[in-house]
Amino acid sequence: MLVHPRCARDRSEDLEEAQLMVDAGEFELATDELRWLLADCAEFIAAHALLGELALATNNDVALARGHFGAGYQLGLQTLRRAKMPTPLLYSQPANRSFFDAGRGLAWCLATLEKPDMAQEVVDTLLNFDKS
């Protein structure tokens, strides 16, 4: 299971509030809230993943989405490398979902940007952690 930094764990309620803003269609407020979260906790994988989703949903900005998804994915990989790459790392565990969501978003963006080899590398990495 991924162990998120303390700053991310301490701000889980703020992330929930940002998700409620998204659900209510308040995309600009949610974006501001997520940027604020990242200003205090740059390693907040879930905030990066949600900002990637917002970039696609609001402006279809694939490049920006790739940046946020990529940041979340890379942060997850760094954490996993420090933990000696534990497998399996299951999507079904709530602590792991934001990493998988960021990776899935990154792979989609890379495929859309006509970078299929890079997209496949991300997919293969994710499948090495969880075959399902």
Side-chain angles (χ1 to χ4, degrees):
M1 176 171 64
L2 267 171
V3 178
H4 296 275
R6 178 180 208 98
C7 61
R9 294 188 310 264
D10 290 346
R11 289 168 178 80
S12 63
E13 287 182 19
D14 295 315
L15 182 69
E16 290 172 13
E17 287 178 23
Q19 184 62 59
L20 289 173
M21 292 173 196
V22 170
D23 294 344
E26 297 290 340
F27 301 128
E28 287 184 38
L29 283 175
T31 298
D32 289 344
E33 177 76 7
L34 292 165
R35 287 180 181 152
W36 174 78
L37 288 172
L38 288 175
D40 285 341
C41 185
E43 296 180 343
F44 203 160
I45 296 171
H48 281 292
L50 190 50
L51 275 170
E53 292 174 22
L54 281 169
L56 291 175
T58 59
N59 298 317
N60 198 32
D61 190 337
V62 178
L64 180 59
R66 175 191 177 187
H68 283 296
F69 288 135
Y73 175 74
Q74 288 300 323
L75 288 166
L77 283 181
Q78 289 171 6
T79 300
L80 293 167
R81 284 185 189 112
R82 286 191 297 262
K84 308 282 192 254
M85 302 298 265
T87 57
L89 183 78
L90 302 176
Y91 177 82
S92 61
Q93 296 294 316
N96 301 336
R97 287 190 187 136
S98 58
F99 167 68
F100 282 98
D101 292 342
R104 184 177 29 243
L106 176 59
W108 184 88
C109 289
L110 290 169
T112 300
L113 294 169
E114 299 182 8
K115 298 180 182 291
D117 293 340
M118 293 172 75
Q120 189 61 54
E121 182 179 332
V122 172
V123 169
D124 291 344
T125 299
L126 294 175
L127 287 173
N128 282 334
F129 286 116
D130 186 344
K131 303 285 185 219
S132 67

